Every structure is written in C-alpha cells, then in structure tokens.
Amino acid sequence: MTEPDTAATDATLLETLANLRWNRFHTIVVLLFGLGWALDAFEVTLIGNVLGALRQHFHLGSNAMSFILAAWFAGLMLGASGFGILSDRYGRRRVFLASLVLYGAATLATAFAPDLAALMVLRLIAGIGVVAEYAAINAAIAELVPSRSRGRASAIVLNFWPVGSFVAALLAWLVLAALPADLGWRVVFALGGVIALSAAWFRRHLPESPRWLIEAGRREDARVIIARIAAGLTDSTPLAPAPVVQRVRREVNGLRVLLRHYPGRLALGAVLDFAEASGYYGLFAFLPIVVLPALHLPPARLPVFYLAGSVGALIGGFAAASLLDRLGRGVTVAGFYLATALALIGFAAVTGMGAGAIMLGFALVNLLATGSWIAAYPTFAELFPTSLRATGIGASVAVGRIGAALSPFLVGYVGARSMPAALVMLAGFWALGAVAILVWRRRGGIEARGLALEQLAAEPARYV
C-alpha cells in the first residue's frame, strides 16, 4: 500500500471510529472501566480510612502519618511518567491489566506488613501500580468512544471513583467497629487487595485502542476492532491482544516532542493536576491529621466522615459529567475549581462549630472538588496526540503528585496551629487551577467539545 493510500485508510478508519453511534459496546466499556476505576478508588482511599488505626498501632505522630501518605504519593509520582510512556509504547490494554495486578498484590501484602518500614515500601509500590491507571484509562476511554460523547463518557467513568470511596469507607467503618484496631486495618487491606486483583478478570475482555494500533502500523487489527465496536460486540473473546514487541513509531523522547509542539497543553495539564491533587489529597489528609486529634475522635469514627464525603462526591461527579458536553470544557472546569476554592473558605469559617459542621463542610467541599478533577482529566487528556497521549497524561499526573506529596505535610504543619488557615491554604491550590484554565482560554486554547481527537492534534500552533 502506497503512503497516500495508507494515509487515506487511516483517515477513513479514524473517521468511522469517531462518528459511530453509541451502542452496547460503548456502554459495556464504560461500565468495565468504571468498575476498575471504582476499585482503584477503593484501594486509594483505604489508607485514609485506616490511618487512625495505624496511628494507634504504630504509635505515630502527625509527621509520621504524613510520611505514610508521602510514601504513597511518591509511588504515584515515580510511576506516573514511566507508565504513561509504557502505555504509549506497548498499548493501553497491557498497561491497565498489569497495573491492576501490581497494586492489588502490593495492597494484599500490606495486610501482612510486619512493621512501619515494610508498610511504607508496600504503599510506595501500590502507588506505582495505581498511577498506571491514570494514564492508560484516561487515554483508552477517550480513544474508544464517539467524539460527541467523549467528555460525558470520560466523566462517567471517573465518577465511579466516589462509588469506590464510599464502599471503602463503609467497609472500613464496619470492620474497624467489629474487630480490634490492630486486626481491623489488616483485614481492610486484605479485602482491598483481593477486590483490586479481581478487576483484572473483568478487564480482560477490553480491546486495545484502535487509534493506538493505527499509530503502531497494525491497521488490520484496528479495522477488526472498529468493525466489532460498530456491531456492538461484547463477547467473551478479547477483541485484539496488545502487541508484545511492536512499538509505536515516534521520536525517541516523547516528552521533548510535547514540550516543543504542545507546551501550552502540557502546562495546562500539569497545573490543573497539581492544583487538584494538592487540594484534594490535602483535604483528605486534613481529617486524620488535623481533625481526628483535635476533636479526640476514635479511629472508628473517621470512616463516617468519608462516607458523608463520598455521597457529596457522587453528586459532584454526575454534575461534571452532565456539564462537560453541554457547557464545554473551559466553563465547566473553571466553574468547579473556583467554586471549590470559595467553598473551602466557607468551610474554614465553620470548623469551630464541632464534628457535625465539619462533616457537612467536608461533604460539600468534596462534592465540588470531585466535580473539578472529574472535569479536568478529560479536558487535558484529549488535547494530546494519540501517540503521546498517555505520556502527556502521565507527565501531568507526575507534576500533580508533587503537590499531593507535599500537601499532607503542609496541612499538618499549618493545621496544628489553625484549622481554618489550613483550609484557606487548600483554597489557594484550587484557585490556581481556575486561573490556569481561564488563561488557557484567554490565550486561544481550543474548546474540544464535540471535536474528533485527530482535529485537536492537527494544528498545534493554532490550538496552543
């Protein structure tokens, strides 16, 4: 096949994929990705729910508790960029299956950690595994669904996060209330690991991204998958295995390509992720590190706060999913980030009113915070070209995890002196994200609602 014929074939395949009508296949893919994402959330939020019990078991101060969280975030930071590059090189499917096994096994092993050092090492490994999901899932879902539904579908998948958080909080609450604290946290980690590993069983039927296969030169495999997607096939046979040796043709340093041709997009992704990760994980560190000791609450009470927060998060996530394809990316992201900053300032004003007010304030802020990051991920994920999408997402997430790692320490330091001051500090992170998306739009950054992914990557100079 000559080069013009090849380009025409690629364009035809991509246009067919982008303009497919929503069918049973897309619904099943969204549910399977959502299930895995819920299990990711389940595993991620376990540590917050059992941190009070770990504090008692290992006799930890606030600094040591921050180090446990920091080990987790260090794993996220180390794995983010690396797994993004692997996802672009070896395919989305191989990475999101391998990630489930890695972090599931590490979480299960955490249940048997003999000491604090082992626990921190296992949390770091689990963090490396989980972050692979960030790049592979956000890249794959954007590449598998029709253009007109891309924002809503991505947001719906991400909205399974509060479902997983709710189940984690409920399980931790029940287990910690029923078992001695020394045993309860181990049981919670064991259950979390088993559930996470089970996600690989459901994910095994998901196909490789046809867009990625086209970039890899496997047009016939892409054609087969697109035909099955168009027919709505969701049988038990994997639609196409990801290649083991075949590599996507690209320049050696993908990050350098992004910096040279898409600097504005990479900067937007990095700042949005840094703002939400610093604010979101700082908010969740606020409860065990500041509220729990200040109010002298027992560890078993902590999951109740997370249960309330998960209900709020679910509402916020659905709101983001409904608005992304209606109002557009820029308005939705800026509105949620700014509303979260203002809500945190309001939260700071009610912290002296007791545990009930703190629980309600946390639920409201988590509603808006979850809507913020659920809107942000699809917004910057779709801006990168297919061959470098997971690399771009991974690099953005890696920058974000720097903020996530530092935030618990800042919250612990400031919160020990003033609860309201810690929340106002977190409001500043969210305000930074609002400014970033507003500057992006002000400078002519593309509004991607309804556009095919290939259109977004066609003219980097025009679209920033």
Side-chain angles (χ1 to χ4, degrees), residues 39 42-44 46 72 99-114 118-119 121-127 130 183-198:
L39 294 175
F42 181 98
E43 203 280 334
V44 167
L46 278 182
W72 163 259
S99 69
L100 290 170
V101 176
L102 179 60
Y103 82 72
T107 301
L108 181 60
T110 304
F112 305 97
L119 185 142
V121 169
L122 289 168
R123 294 308 296 162
L124 185 144
I125 295 172
V130 164
L183 177 62
W185 68 267
R186 295 185 183 275
V187 172
V188 170
F189 274 118
L191 291 173
V194 170
I195 293 174
L197 288 170
S198 70

Side-chain angles (χ1 to χ4, degrees), residues 409-426:
F409 291 100
L410 294 174
V411 166
Y413 179 79
V414 177
R417 290 153 181 79
S418 169
M419 269 197 207
L423 293 172
V424 171
M425 178 191 68
L426 295 179

